[in-house]
Amino acid sequence: MSRLSIFRRLASFGHGLVLAALLWVLLLVGCQQPKVPANYQQVQKEAPIYPDYAEVTIPVNMAPLNFELLVSADDVVTRFSVGDRELVCGGLKVCPDVEEWHRLTATAAGRRISVEVFAEKDGQWVRFKPFNIEVSPDSIDAWLSYRMISPSYVSYEELTINQRCLENFDEQVVVDNMLCSTESGGQCVNCHSYQQWNPQRMQLHARQSHGGTLVAYDGKVEKIDWGGSSPGVYPAWHPTQKLIVYSTNKTMQAFHTSDLNKIEVIDGESHLMAYDLDRHEMSTVEDRPDELETFPCWTPDGRWLYYCSAHFKYEADSVDLPEITLRYQELKYNIYRKPYDPQTRRFGERQLVFAADSLGMSATLPRISPDGRWLLFTMGEWGCFHIWHRDADLWMMQMDDSASAHPLDEANSNDTESYHSWSSNGRWVVFSSRRYDGVFTRPFFTHIDSTGHATKPFELPCKNPDYHRQLMKSYNVPEFMKGRVSLTPQQVASIMKEKVTQH
């Protein structure tokens, strides 16, 4: 029976019943599944899609890899299949239902999903060369947090710290910088971090208006006022103790007049401090003359503190910011470590771990895998702020074997790779990359196997696959979490404005 005949029959009933029945019919028609075309021409080229999800490896619990076809077409049908199970989507933007996608990935765990893209133009269907998506049984932490900021040099007030569920597309704001900014004074929040991926044990730092450090620990939230001391910048939670090691950095910007790297961010001074949360006491960890210590990081057992340091001796009698700005290419950071006794809470003498300067390079952001086997860091030609350096790459090294250090080629691109962090099971790394346009930083994920090898990275999936090409902000400092932060932006702003605990 035709739809017109159905509507004529319904016309014999009352108007209310007609409307209800009409809505039912439209819903029924709209729910009809797209059909894979029976007749098509096979082409040997792969489907041009964005984001590029061809031949990537994903965690079994990852949100759907929504993508769009980048060629003109009147209609598109995409089939995901593994064994006897399949999922068919219609439209140029391929957006599988979340529940259906998770049923598919659960079936595919340890195997691969085959993806076929069919496109119709002027009545003729073509089938692109299929590609695969490997589904690892290794799950990923359910939540990710990051700072959303414009990729500019001075505009930082309109920024937020957000959290995103990686199993779907839920996203919430944790910190809204504008809630603490005023006409006479702005604020900049940064460096959020967690103890052992625990969202109930977090800290973040704010500069300028209502500046200070917010520390949340199992329901207790307080603001630390650093007084006349240099504020803590880059944090590292001890794995088990209520202790945070910070670098304190006197940071400045300098601009290139003729270089692909438009900007340098330089530390004129920096050293390491430890903050005891219970005693509200600050102590010096490392502050050597002519050394710039930064980026602390603990081993999983909490017995070693890793960090970076560059040797720099001022020719002037004291810190001279114009001098270090002119000599920025001399800043080569090596990776060191210091032993730590959890019983006495004392640090030992530093030891050299990796001499990047011997290669004419600079190493930053050391991060150790949860099993203690791998040291992941960023390498560039000089300096400590590699997010602005196009040559910055990820490097991997076996612990205690500096000769094994090598670029993580499977994950690197021709543009910037910078900040990175490990998942709690040590099987996934999220890192910041500017590989698509050289301007906007996006989170990418790669799987690390038992031999330390990485897989082809994939971009953070979005509900609208074109979202990142329209978003004019960067993701900074991506950090995994085992759950969501319960604090609201209003609660954070209230604490930053009112509560003060001096160290």
Side-chain angles (χ1 to χ4, degrees):
M1 183 181 297
S2 69
R3 296 179 192 172
L4 182 59
S5 299
I6 294 175
F7 294 151
R8 284 174 176 170
R9 286 199 174 191
L10 291 173
S12 62
F13 297 96
H15 291 295
L17 288 176
V18 169
L19 180 59
L22 179 59
L23 291 174
W24 179 83
V25 170
L26 292 175
L27 179 63
L28 181 64
V29 172
C31 289
Q32 290 179 349
Q33 293 293 321
K35 294 183 178 180
V36 175
N39 299 310
Y40 54 83
Q41 177 185 353
Q42 178 66 52
V43 296
Q44 294 307 310
K45 67 177 182 179
E46 296 180 352
I49 62 172
Y50 173 82
D52 177 12
Y53 290 139
E55 309 304 328
V56 299
T57 298
I58 66 169
V60 64
N61 60 326
M62 196 71 193
L65 301 190
N66 294 353
F67 64 84
E68 61 182 323
L69 190 64
L70 299 179
V71 296
S72 175
D74 298 326
D75 197 7
V76 174
V77 172
T78 303
R79 175 165 59 191
F80 303 87
S81 58
V82 53
D84 296 332
R85 181 181 289 275
E86 67 177 32
L87 194 166
V88 179
C89 300
L92 273 71
K93 292 186 177 181
V94 182
C95 303
D97 175 78
V98 173
E99 292 185 1
E100 291 183 8
W101 173 262
H102 283 310
R103 285 194 288 269
L104 184 71
T105 56
T107 301
R111 295 190 285 170
R112 61 182 56 177
I113 297 172
S114 175
V115 185
E116 303 166 272
V117 179
F118 302 82
E120 182 262 326
K121 183 71 173 178
D122 299 328
Q124 175 63 49
W125 284 93
V126 298
R127 176 180 179 261
F128 291 97
K129 183 180 178 181
F131 62 87
N132 296 312
I133 297 173
E134 298 281 346
V135 181
S136 170
D138 297 323
S139 61
I140 201 167
D141 296 305
W143 288 84
L144 184 77
S145 61
Y146 39 80
R147 186 168 65 152
M148 300 295 291
I149 185 171
S150 300
S152 61
Y153 313 127
V154 294
S155 177
Y156 55 81
E157 281 191 80
E158 190 181 350
L159 65 86
T160 59
I161 294 177
N162 294 11
Q163 58 184 356
R164 158 75 191 273
C165 181
L166 296 179
E167 297 178 337
N168 52 46
F169 304 106
D170 293 345
E171 184 179 25
Q172 296 110 35
V173 174
V174 177
V175 181
D176 186 344
N177 197 61
M178 294 297 290
L179 294 179
C180 283
S181 290
T182 64
E183 291 184 5
S184 59
Q187 188 186 74
C188 177
V189 293
N190 60 0
C191 300
H192 54 284
S193 66
Y194 312 89
Q195 185 182 48
Q196 295 295 88
W197 304 274
N198 185 345
Q200 304 308 315
R201 298 178 180 180
M202 67 170 289
Q203 76 90 61
L204 61 91
H205 181 67
R207 294 175 292 181
Q208 296 178 278
S209 178
H210 305 295
T213 299
L214 180 147
V215 178
Y217 199 93
D218 293 348
K220 180 182 178 181
V221 186
E222 62 182 351
K223 176 185 175 182
I224 303 168
D225 182 0
W226 299 89
S229 303
S230 298
V233 179
Y234 301 115
W237 283 84
H238 189 273
T240 58
Q241 295 182 338
K242 295 176 73 173
L243 181 73
I244 307 175
V245 171
Y246 291 95
S247 65
T248 66
N249 306 68
K250 188 172 185 178
T251 305
M252 59 191 163
Q253 292 184 133
F255 296 87
H256 294 285
T257 56
S258 58
D259 196 293
L260 287 175
N261 299 315
K262 301 301 182 186
I263 184 173
E264 291 297 330
V265 179
I266 301 168
D267 288 336
E269 289 183 278
S270 60
H271 59 278
L272 302 180
M273 304 289 289
Y275 182 72
D276 186 313
L277 273 65
D278 284 330
R279 299 176 181 175
H280 297 110
E281 292 179 352
M282 183 69 72
S283 59
T284 300
V285 175
E286 190 81 344
D287 187 11
R288 290 177 175 241
D290 306 326
E291 290 285 329
L292 302 171
E293 299 98 351
T294 190
F295 299 129
C297 170
W298 290 96
T299 54
D301 62 9
R303 292 186 174 274
W304 292 91
L305 179 73
Y306 280 61
Y307 64 96
C308 298
S309 184
H311 181 77
F312 185 85
K313 184 175 178 59
Y314 284 94
E315 295 175 355
D317 294 335
S318 60
V319 174
D320 183 357
L321 300 185
E323 178 187 337
I324 196 172
T325 301
L326 294 173
R327 296 170 57 193
Y328 68 92
Q329 293 187 3
E330 298 177 31
L331 295 173
K332 310 283 187 178
Y333 285 79
N334 295 326
I335 300 177
Y336 295 87
R337 69 178 185 177
K338 292 173 70 70
Y340 175 75
D341 186 338
Q343 300 300 320
T344 63
R345 295 200 171 194
R346 292 182 177 179
F347 292 90
E349 291 300 312
R350 78 172 188 176
Q351 302 173 10
L352 179 63
V353 173
F354 179 71
D357 60 355
S358 67
L359 304 176
M361 303 290 282
S362 182
T364 62
L365 293 168
R367 293 291 185 269
I368 299 165
S369 62
D371 61 7
R373 294 184 59 198
W374 308 103
L375 174 62
L376 185 65
F377 56 95
T378 304
M379 279 270 274
E381 191 172 345
W382 59 72
C384 64
F385 217 73
H386 284 152
I387 195 170
W388 286 109
H389 292 183
R390 291 178 178 269
D391 67 317
D393 282 329
L394 299 179
W395 278 55
M396 185 79 90
M397 179 185 118
Q398 278 187 298
M399 292 291 284
D400 302 322
D401 182 10
S402 60
S404 69
H406 63 278
L408 198 63
D409 290 333
E410 305 97 323
N412 291 324
S413 70
N414 292 327
D415 216 298
T416 304
E417 271 71 53
S418 54
Y419 195 92
H420 48 274
S421 60
W422 291 89
S423 64
S424 62
N425 62 8
R427 286 293 177 237
W428 300 95
V429 167
V430 60
F431 63 94
S432 300
S433 180
R434 291 183 174 177
R435 63 187 58 206
Y436 280 152
D437 52 32
V439 176
F440 295 99
T441 308
R442 309 296 187 213
F444 283 77
F445 303 85
T446 183
H447 183 264
I448 306 295
D449 65 18
S450 59
T451 65
H453 288 94
T455 56
K456 176 182 175 180
F458 66 95
E459 188 179 10
L460 174 69
C462 295
K463 190 171 185 178
N464 176 3
D466 200 43
Y467 176 69
H468 282 159
R469 298 204 302 176
Q470 302 176 30
L471 180 67
M472 305 299 285
K473 289 191 175 182
S474 287
Y475 294 71
N476 282 7
V477 193
E479 290 283 355
F480 285 113
M481 302 181 295
K482 292 181 178 179
R484 58 181 296 273
V485 174
S486 57
L487 289 172
T488 66
Q490 292 74 22
Q491 288 173 321
V492 172
S494 176
I495 293 163
M496 295 306 293
K497 289 178 179 178
E498 298 175 6
K499 297 185 178 180
V500 176
T501 301
Q502 288 212 341
H503 77 276

